[in-house]
Amino acid sequence: MGIYLLRRFVALIPVLIIVGTIIFFIMHLMPGNPASLMLGPEATDEQITALSEKMGLDRPVLIQFFEWFKNILRGDFGNSLFFQGMPVTRVVYEHFQATLFLTLTGLSFAVIFGIVFGVLSAAFHDRLPDRILMVITSIGVAIPNFWLGLMLALVFAILFPILPPAGYKPLSAGIWTSFRYLILPAVALAFGQASLIARMTRANMLESLQNDYIRTARAKGLPEGIVVFKHALKNALIPTITVIGLSFANLMGGAVVTEQIFNIPGIGRLLIKSVFTRDYPVIEGIVLYIAGAWVLVNLLVDVAYSFFDPRIKY
Amino acid sequence: MLRVTNQESKARGSRRFATVRLFTRNKTALFGAAVLLFFIVVALGAPLIATHRPADMDPSLRLNKPNAVYFFGTDRFGRDLYSRVVYGSRISLGVGLSVVASTTILGALLGLLAGYFRSVDEILMRILDGLMAFPGIILMITIMAVLGSNLFNVILALTVVYTPRMARVVRSAVMVQREMTYVEAARAAGAGDLRILLWHIPRNCVAPVIIQATMIFAYSVLSESSLSFLGVGVPPEIPSWGNLLSDGKVFLRRAPWITIFPGLTIAACVLALNTLGDGLRDILDPRIRKKKI
């Protein structure tokens, strides 16, 4: 297991290098000089030349690329052009907390509701509860999450003001206060993923309920609840874990939009703000952070497999 | 190549007929196809179906509630929301179809190369994995940030994000087909790599490509609306569904209909595409087909 983990970590390196290379080439080789893009249409030629030199854009691309990579390895993502030249790492770090809480709350909603609804659906296969849940989940997959966010805000914050319509309170404001602000955005964010997880769990449960050991468990008189939740569910969860891992990535992506609707000061909002202020170092930093996180999550998912399925040995 | 005998061609004809029959029997696929067809008809016949011109403003009709003249109400410039949604279908479906076309061509090409030539596979797949290591929307926003927002760039950004998915699907299909006896037979009959790669194998990889294309269509409609909603997609003056939603955000309290109707439209369209995709998977995937029959 230890060697396996080490090997997986080493295998991360080429992926991260490729990811970094893609980002570099998207940001640096696209048409137009980054310096003139950053300065905007009103900039004079002198200003553009000055900034180009300062950023090293007049040097050969390959040299720029190695410089850039060297800095990244040292944890230096450059300085923001907008936040008074603060280092990108600090800007991203300061916005990271909100996104992390939003994504994790969303993920827990998605996993809890997804699995519970999936199991219920399978347990009531082809009966009314199953049919209703399947209709809800097909709608859940199709609804744009930002639209759902707006509708939730309309119903639960404007028509029936029981929850705050927007904003964010850090944990220091108290767990309940902080959570209240996260409920609507997290539900909006998680609904689609919960639907996916529910459909996946249902399909796997139906398959796993066909197994012989389920018949044995029933035959020896175990209560149906234990058969469904202990025997069938644990085996049905293995493929579901992959979906949960993917969900996490989708949630991070979805958070960009959700934060925009609910005015949550996370990295998604920072990303959009940086796009409009042409703060390219920050955009680069955010994208690298997220890609890195996504690669790590995938690793964790693979490791989690062995926990749920002891037959998978590393 | 071998001449196809009469009997073989009959067999092939009846198999095709069987697929059509499965399609007409599969209620999900039919429902999805019907709704999609409805949207395509709306997009093509927009000038006939819309009741107003989508850009006509009338300040005296600002933020009118839905009524008999303005089915979906009016927006902040007094424009008819219903007509804008109708015309928006041209943009949103157009983007979706363009992305489907470009990802299918590019993805099929890359997938065929990677699946057939082992040497290409390693490098190509690492790059595609790298591209898939980003949540799609983040990569799209980055590309839009660099290129600037216009309709073509939206299609380009979506193509970059969804081509790896298509390429992966084609690649795995090709890897299965490559080992099939008919490929060996074709080679024995004197067919070269190119002929096998561009003629024999693709004919047998159509099913997964169609399914994936349907899914990419759905994702594209959703992604276009997300990008436009964030203000980095289709330029705001073009009435795409995402832009209509984006217009409504500020007026959520006073005029919720501006948000409700375009959102419902997107949801209906994506739902149709998803059900069509699911249905097609049931019909075209022989493993599932066997189980069902």
PDB file of all heavy atoms in Angstrom, chain B residues 115-129:
ATOM      1  N   GLY B 115      -6.102   5.138 -30.804  1.00  0.00           N
ATOM      2  CA  GLY B 115      -6.541   3.767 -30.618  1.00  0.00           C
ATOM      3  C   GLY B 115      -5.826   2.799 -31.540  1.00  0.00           C
ATOM      4  O   GLY B 115      -5.652   1.629 -31.213  1.00  0.00           O
ATOM      5  N   TYR B 116      -5.428   3.294 -32.716  1.00  0.00           N
ATOM      6  CA  TYR B 116      -4.863   2.388 -33.708  1.00  0.00           C
ATOM      7  C   TYR B 116      -3.346   2.314 -33.625  1.00  0.00           C
ATOM      8  O   TYR B 116      -2.760   1.260 -33.774  1.00  0.00           O
ATOM      9  CB  TYR B 116      -5.306   2.838 -35.102  1.00  0.00           C
ATOM     10  CG  TYR B 116      -5.127   1.779 -36.158  1.00  0.00           C
ATOM     11  CD1 TYR B 116      -5.952   0.655 -36.175  1.00  0.00           C
ATOM     12  CD2 TYR B 116      -4.148   1.900 -37.130  1.00  0.00           C
ATOM     13  CE1 TYR B 116      -5.795  -0.327 -37.130  1.00  0.00           C
ATOM     14  CE2 TYR B 116      -3.986   0.920 -38.108  1.00  0.00           C
ATOM     15  CZ  TYR B 116      -4.814  -0.187 -38.106  1.00  0.00           C
ATOM     16  OH  TYR B 116      -4.657  -1.156 -39.061  1.00  0.00           O
ATOM     17  N   PHE B 117      -2.693   3.456 -33.401  1.00  0.00           N
ATOM     18  CA  PHE B 117      -1.231   3.469 -33.335  1.00  0.00           C
ATOM     19  C   PHE B 117      -0.787   3.619 -31.885  1.00  0.00           C
ATOM     20  O   PHE B 117      -1.022   4.661 -31.275  1.00  0.00           O
ATOM     21  CB  PHE B 117      -0.657   4.620 -34.162  1.00  0.00           C
ATOM     22  CG  PHE B 117      -1.005   4.540 -35.616  1.00  0.00           C
ATOM     23  CD1 PHE B 117      -1.882   5.445 -36.183  1.00  0.00           C
ATOM     24  CD2 PHE B 117      -0.460   3.552 -36.416  1.00  0.00           C
ATOM     25  CE1 PHE B 117      -2.216   5.370 -37.529  1.00  0.00           C
ATOM     26  CE2 PHE B 117      -0.788   3.473 -37.760  1.00  0.00           C
ATOM     27  CZ  PHE B 117      -1.671   4.384 -38.321  1.00  0.00           C
ATOM     28  N   ARG B 118      -0.153   2.579 -31.354  1.00  0.00           N
ATOM     29  CA  ARG B 118       0.226   2.611 -29.945  1.00  0.00           C
ATOM     30  C   ARG B 118       1.185   3.761 -29.636  1.00  0.00           C
ATOM     31  O   ARG B 118       1.171   4.338 -28.570  1.00  0.00           O
ATOM     32  CB  ARG B 118       0.898   1.289 -29.565  1.00  0.00           C
ATOM     33  CG  ARG B 118      -0.080   0.134 -29.580  1.00  0.00           C
ATOM     34  CD  ARG B 118      -0.065  -0.620 -28.266  1.00  0.00           C
ATOM     35  NE  ARG B 118      -1.251  -1.473 -28.193  1.00  0.00           N
ATOM     36  CZ  ARG B 118      -1.224  -2.786 -28.402  1.00  0.00           C
ATOM     37  NH1 ARG B 118      -0.085  -3.392 -28.636  1.00  0.00           N
ATOM     38  NH2 ARG B 118      -2.330  -3.489 -28.339  1.00  0.00           N
ATOM     39  N   SER B 119       2.058   4.080 -30.620  1.00  0.00           N
ATOM     40  CA  SER B 119       3.088   5.097 -30.360  1.00  0.00           C
ATOM     41  C   SER B 119       2.457   6.469 -30.165  1.00  0.00           C
ATOM     42  O   SER B 119       2.905   7.264 -29.342  1.00  0.00           O
ATOM     43  CB  SER B 119       4.075   5.133 -31.515  1.00  0.00           C
ATOM     44  OG  SER B 119       3.370   5.228 -32.734  1.00  0.00           O
ATOM     45  N   VAL B 120       1.384   6.750 -30.900  1.00  0.00           N
ATOM     46  CA  VAL B 120       0.714   8.045 -30.769  1.00  0.00           C
ATOM     47  C   VAL B 120      -0.049   8.095 -29.452  1.00  0.00           C
ATOM     48  O   VAL B 120      -0.166   9.143 -28.816  1.00  0.00           O
ATOM     49  CB  VAL B 120      -0.277   8.262 -31.937  1.00  0.00           C
ATOM     50  CG1 VAL B 120      -0.871   9.652 -31.891  1.00  0.00           C
ATOM     51  CG2 VAL B 120       0.399   8.002 -33.263  1.00  0.00           C
ATOM     52  N   ASP B 121      -0.552   6.929 -29.078  1.00  0.00           N
ATOM     53  CA  ASP B 121      -1.452   6.823 -27.938  1.00  0.00           C
ATOM     54  C   ASP B 121      -0.895   7.473 -26.673  1.00  0.00           C
ATOM     55  O   ASP B 121      -1.542   8.326 -26.066  1.00  0.00           O
ATOM     56  CB  ASP B 121      -1.743   5.347 -27.675  1.00  0.00           C
ATOM     57  CG  ASP B 121      -2.854   5.162 -26.671  1.00  0.00           C
ATOM     58  OD1 ASP B 121      -3.772   6.001 -26.686  1.00  0.00           O
ATOM     59  OD2 ASP B 121      -2.797   4.218 -25.883  1.00  0.00           O
ATOM     60  N   GLU B 122       0.331   7.072 -26.306  1.00  0.00           N
ATOM     61  CA  GLU B 122       0.917   7.543 -25.047  1.00  0.00           C
ATOM     62  C   GLU B 122       0.901   9.071 -24.938  1.00  0.00           C
ATOM     63  O   GLU B 122       0.361   9.633 -23.987  1.00  0.00           O
ATOM     64  CB  GLU B 122       2.363   7.031 -24.932  1.00  0.00           C
ATOM     65  CG  GLU B 122       2.471   5.717 -24.187  1.00  0.00           C
ATOM     66  CD  GLU B 122       1.884   5.800 -22.791  1.00  0.00           C
ATOM     67  OE1 GLU B 122       2.328   6.684 -22.031  1.00  0.00           O
ATOM     68  OE2 GLU B 122       0.980   5.002 -22.462  1.00  0.00           O
ATOM     69  N   ILE B 123       1.485   9.722 -25.957  1.00  0.00           N
ATOM     70  CA  ILE B 123       1.619  11.178 -25.896  1.00  0.00           C
ATOM     71  C   ILE B 123       0.260  11.857 -25.944  1.00  0.00           C
ATOM     72  O   ILE B 123      -0.080  12.712 -25.121  1.00  0.00           O
ATOM     73  CB  ILE B 123       2.483  11.672 -27.081  1.00  0.00           C
ATOM     74  CG1 ILE B 123       3.830  10.938 -27.071  1.00  0.00           C
ATOM     75  CG2 ILE B 123       2.653  13.173 -27.028  1.00  0.00           C
ATOM     76  CD1 ILE B 123       4.667  11.207 -28.290  1.00  0.00           C
ATOM     77  N   LEU B 124      -0.544  11.425 -26.907  1.00  0.00           N
ATOM     78  CA  LEU B 124      -1.835  12.074 -27.125  1.00  0.00           C
ATOM     79  C   LEU B 124      -2.721  11.960 -25.886  1.00  0.00           C
ATOM     80  O   LEU B 124      -3.343  12.926 -25.447  1.00  0.00           O
ATOM     81  CB  LEU B 124      -2.509  11.399 -28.319  1.00  0.00           C
ATOM     82  CG  LEU B 124      -3.490  12.250 -29.088  1.00  0.00           C
ATOM     83  CD1 LEU B 124      -2.812  13.509 -29.561  1.00  0.00           C
ATOM     84  CD2 LEU B 124      -4.042  11.475 -30.259  1.00  0.00           C
ATOM     85  N   MET B 125      -2.714  10.762 -25.292  1.00  0.00           N
ATOM     86  CA  MET B 125      -3.593  10.559 -24.151  1.00  0.00           C
ATOM     87  C   MET B 125      -3.133  11.365 -22.942  1.00  0.00           C
ATOM     88  O   MET B 125      -3.950  11.843 -22.172  1.00  0.00           O
ATOM     89  CB  MET B 125      -3.658   9.066 -23.798  1.00  0.00           C
ATOM     90  CG  MET B 125      -4.620   8.325 -24.681  1.00  0.00           C
ATOM     91  SD  MET B 125      -6.294   9.013 -24.535  1.00  0.00           S
ATOM     92  CE  MET B 125      -6.716   9.271 -26.231  1.00  0.00           C
ATOM     93  N   ARG B 126      -1.816  11.517 -22.778  1.00  0.00           N
ATOM     94  CA  ARG B 126      -1.341  12.332 -21.651  1.00  0.00           C
ATOM     95  C   ARG B 126      -1.815  13.778 -21.806  1.00  0.00           C
ATOM     96  O   ARG B 126      -2.253  14.410 -20.855  1.00  0.00           O
ATOM     97  CB  ARG B 126       0.188  12.288 -21.560  1.00  0.00           C
ATOM     98  CG  ARG B 126       0.793  10.956 -21.123  1.00  0.00           C
ATOM     99  CD  ARG B 126       0.426  10.591 -19.695  1.00  0.00           C
ATOM    100  NE  ARG B 126      -0.866   9.920 -19.596  1.00  0.00           N
ATOM    101  CZ  ARG B 126      -1.086   8.668 -19.969  1.00  0.00           C
ATOM    102  NH1 ARG B 126      -0.110   7.926 -20.442  1.00  0.00           N
ATOM    103  NH2 ARG B 126      -2.284   8.129 -19.866  1.00  0.00           N
ATOM    104  N   ILE B 127      -1.744  14.274 -23.062  1.00  0.00           N
ATOM    105  CA  ILE B 127      -2.178  15.659 -23.279  1.00  0.00           C
ATOM    106  C   ILE B 127      -3.685  15.781 -23.024  1.00  0.00           C
ATOM    107  O   ILE B 127      -4.144  16.702 -22.344  1.00  0.00           O
ATOM    108  CB  ILE B 127      -1.840  16.106 -24.710  1.00  0.00           C
ATOM    109  CG1 ILE B 127      -0.314  16.095 -24.896  1.00  0.00           C
ATOM    110  CG2 ILE B 127      -2.409  17.491 -24.998  1.00  0.00           C
ATOM    111  CD1 ILE B 127       0.131  16.413 -26.303  1.00  0.00           C
ATOM    112  N   LEU B 128      -4.436  14.808 -23.537  1.00  0.00           N
ATOM    113  CA  LEU B 128      -5.890  14.870 -23.340  1.00  0.00           C
ATOM    114  C   LEU B 128      -6.236  14.732 -21.855  1.00  0.00           C
ATOM    115  O   LEU B 128      -7.138  15.409 -21.356  1.00  0.00           O
ATOM    116  CB  LEU B 128      -6.583  13.788 -24.158  1.00  0.00           C
ATOM    117  CG  LEU B 128      -6.451  13.951 -25.681  1.00  0.00           C
ATOM    118  CD1 LEU B 128      -7.233  12.871 -26.400  1.00  0.00           C
ATOM    119  CD2 LEU B 128      -6.932  15.321 -26.137  1.00  0.00           C
ATOM    120  N   ASP B 129      -5.501  13.852 -21.136  1.00  0.00           N
ATOM    121  CA  ASP B 129      -5.729  13.735 -19.693  1.00  0.00           C
ATOM    122  C   ASP B 129      -5.455  15.061 -19.004  1.00  0.00           C
ATOM    123  O   ASP B 129      -6.176  15.467 -18.097  1.00  0.00           O
ATOM    124  CB  ASP B 129      -4.803  12.672 -19.084  1.00  0.00           C
ATOM    125  CG  ASP B 129      -5.312  11.272 -19.360  1.00  0.00           C
ATOM    126  OD1 ASP B 129      -6.467  11.175 -19.807  1.00  0.00           O
ATOM    127  OD2 ASP B 129      -4.566  10.315 -19.136  1.00  0.00           O
TER     128      ASP B 129
END
